[in-house]
Amino acid sequence: EVRLVESGGGLVQAGGSLRLSCAVFGFTFDDYAVGWFRQAPGKQREGVSCIANNFGGASGGSTYYADSVKGRFTMTTDNANNTVYLEMNSLKPEDTAVYYCAADFGGGNCLLRRGTYRGQGTQVTVSS
């Protein structure tokens, strides 16, 4: 069974940092590309970051970022612990959203898709 479990969200002041974690179960990074997207109230879903290779997996793949987070967010994977991380620095109030970890983007642009598998989400709130 494929599962993704996020953690690490919370309340932080503008300019602060948070690290989100996503423990994945039922697949390896050879199998599926992985990524993060966010959903804020009243706004469209936004792909934040993803890692994908040319074969539908994540291993050895390239990392992609939304323009809105480039230079501030860093996405990594830990193969030994089957965990995906999103390090978020210089946070802004507009980063406030529920952040979801996702996997399997069907080989398309991983920033533009929700992913076949998604976690339950973790709330990130940035105060001004």
Side-chain angles (χ1 to χ4, degrees), residues 9 14 25 47 59 64 67 70 77-78 86-87 93 101 107 110 115-116:
F25 304 91
S59 296
Y64 304 93
D67 288 343
K70 278 181 183 175
T77 60
D78 180 342
L86 184 68
E87 184 76 34
C101 180
C110 52
T116 302

Side-chain angles (χ1 to χ4, degrees), residues 3-5 22-29 34 81-84 101-103:
R3 286 191 300 128
L4 301 98
V5 181
C22 173
V24 306
F25 304 91
F27 69 96
T28 72
F29 298 129
V34 289
N81 293 302
N82 291 327
T83 302
V84 182
C101 180

Side-chain angles (χ1 to χ4, degrees), residues 15-35:
S17 299
L18 281 174
R19 186 175 79 158
L20 305 183
S21 300
C22 173
V24 306
F25 304 91
F27 69 96
T28 72
F29 298 129
D30 288 339
D31 300 321
Y32 298 134
V34 289

